[in-house]
Amino acid sequence: MGYDVEELVDGIQAGMSAPGGRAAIARAITLVESDRPDHRASARTLLEKLDSRPEVIRIGISGVPGVGKSTFIESFGTHLTAQGLQVGVLAVDPSSVRTGGSVLGDKTRMAKLSADPRAYIRPSPSAGTLGGVARATAQAMMVLEAAGCDVILVETVGVGQSEVTVAGMVDTFVFLSLARTGDQLQGIKKGILEIADVIAINKADGDHAAEARVAARDLAGALRFVQPAGAAWTPPVLTCSGLTGDGVDQVWQRIQSHREAMGSDGLASKRARQQLDFTWALVRDELDQRLRESPAVSEVGERVSRQLLAGELLAPTAADLILEAYDQG
């Protein structure tokens, strides 16, 4: 598939409400997600031509399995669009083993928000590697920002290393939890609590509202043990319901408070550090691609694989042989 970069730039900057705007955004994100060398070159040219908008609010959203991330995001996104804001949603899905595409149907799970003219939802495959997540998601965010989105929400697949990756490319990281998990800290890694800026106990509706308040209080107490002394920001623990919309406005208020607490200098410094980290993520991703595409590596790789499977070679030695082949290639 060929891409007319200038045409894409015009379509993106016209905005999602302009004729052909959404199609241009979709094609641009497909381009920046591609692993083809020619597409990567076109993507770099595209991103260089897009306007930067530092005022855009970037929010990462994660949570334990079954916490209701998509329901919350739909309710939260609808709350934002009702205020006149344009919202972009990137849902980082597990990649399909066969096609590399997204396997979760986020648009079907966010039917109301996907029909909202002020919202744009894009399932984004995780591309099998954290480097793929960093490259595809960060560059897709740049496309949505240039398209006029005021708020960008990045939904991650669950609790794990990809959450740390996403937290390193957003302004505020929101962690969703549940009250009905027995011990509220069970299965919640200390590392996730350390990177969370706002914590919300979701599904706090009906008979479970009181239970959620107790869980929020307990979790707020637990945070004292993982927060460094003298921290400028202590993550608030709220209750909300993505199903009814209760408490969603308070989550938004606390996100804005976190942004205000950072200040313009703090935000600029955070984004600068993220750009540095992103640069090295791109380098690692590019090196991984070159390693896989190297004819010299392919040639020695088959022999090394056979020897490894036969137990004739140890992994450190095999790795040295592959790297040596790449260096000489």
Side-chain angles (χ1 to χ4, degrees), residues 162-170 173 195 270 273-275 277-278:
S162 64
E163 276 60 38
V164 178
T165 302
V166 169
M169 62 179 72
V170 297
F173 190 77
I195 64 175
K270 182 174 187 176
R273 291 194 305 271
Q274 289 176 344
Q275 280 298 299
D277 292 340
F278 180 45

Side-chain angles (χ1 to χ4, degrees), residues 238-310:
L238 314 170
T239 61
C240 66
S241 171
L243 186 63
T244 66
D246 292 341
V248 168
D249 57 336
Q250 294 178 14
V251 175
W252 173 233
Q253 289 171 13
R254 294 306 179 93
I255 290 171
Q256 292 175 298
S257 296
H258 175 246
R259 192 177 180 85
E260 291 169 4
M262 281 192 292
S264 56
D265 290 343
L267 180 60
S269 176
K270 182 174 187 176
R271 288 198 174 184
R273 291 194 305 271
Q274 289 176 344
Q275 280 298 299
L276 178 60
D277 292 340
F278 180 45
T279 297
W280 284 107
L282 288 176
V283 169
R284 289 188 291 270
D285 187 51
E286 181 64 27
L287 286 174
D288 180 71
Q289 285 295 120
R290 293 185 185 185
L291 195 65
R292 294 175 185 276
E293 295 168 1
S294 166
V297 170
S298 296
E299 183 178 344
V300 75
E302 294 180 8
R303 174 170 56 83
V304 167
S305 296
R306 287 196 302 271
Q307 290 178 306
L308 279 168
L309 292 173

Side-chain angles (χ1 to χ4, degrees), residues 49-133:
K49 293 177 178 292
L50 295 180
D51 295 332
S52 174
R53 297 179 59 233
E55 72 276 11
V56 175
I57 300 174
R58 305 169 180 173
I59 304 169
I61 298 177
S62 183
V64 296
V67 76
K69 290 188 294 292
S70 295
T71 303
F72 172 81
I73 289 174
E74 177 164 59
S75 182
F76 186 60
T78 302
H79 175 73
L80 298 180
T81 59
Q83 298 181 35
L85 298 172
Q86 294 199 86
V87 178
V89 179
L90 293 172
V92 181
D93 284 349
S95 292
S96 164
V97 174
R98 292 189 177 182
T99 67
S102 299
V103 298
L104 301 183
D106 287 277
K107 286 195 174 183
T108 61
R109 291 185 286 132
M110 304 179 196
K112 183 178 179 181
L113 188 61
S114 64
D116 193 318
R118 289 186 173 273
Y120 183 90
I121 300 175
R122 172 78 178 210
S124 182
S126 62
T129 66
L130 292 177
V133 173

Side-chain angles (χ1 to χ4, degrees), residues 64 159-161 163-164 167 173 175 177 183-197 199 219 221-229 235:
V64 296
V159 178
Q161 186 59 38
E163 276 60 38
V164 178
F173 190 77
F175 180 72
S177 188
D183 176 1
Q184 273 69 46
L185 300 181
Q186 192 79 27
I188 300 177
K189 297 179 181 178
K190 178 183 175 183
I192 295 296
L193 294 180
E194 288 177 338
I195 64 175
D197 299 304
I199 299 172
L219 193 50
L223 277 174
R224 298 192 188 101
F225 296 101
V226 298
Q227 284 294 302

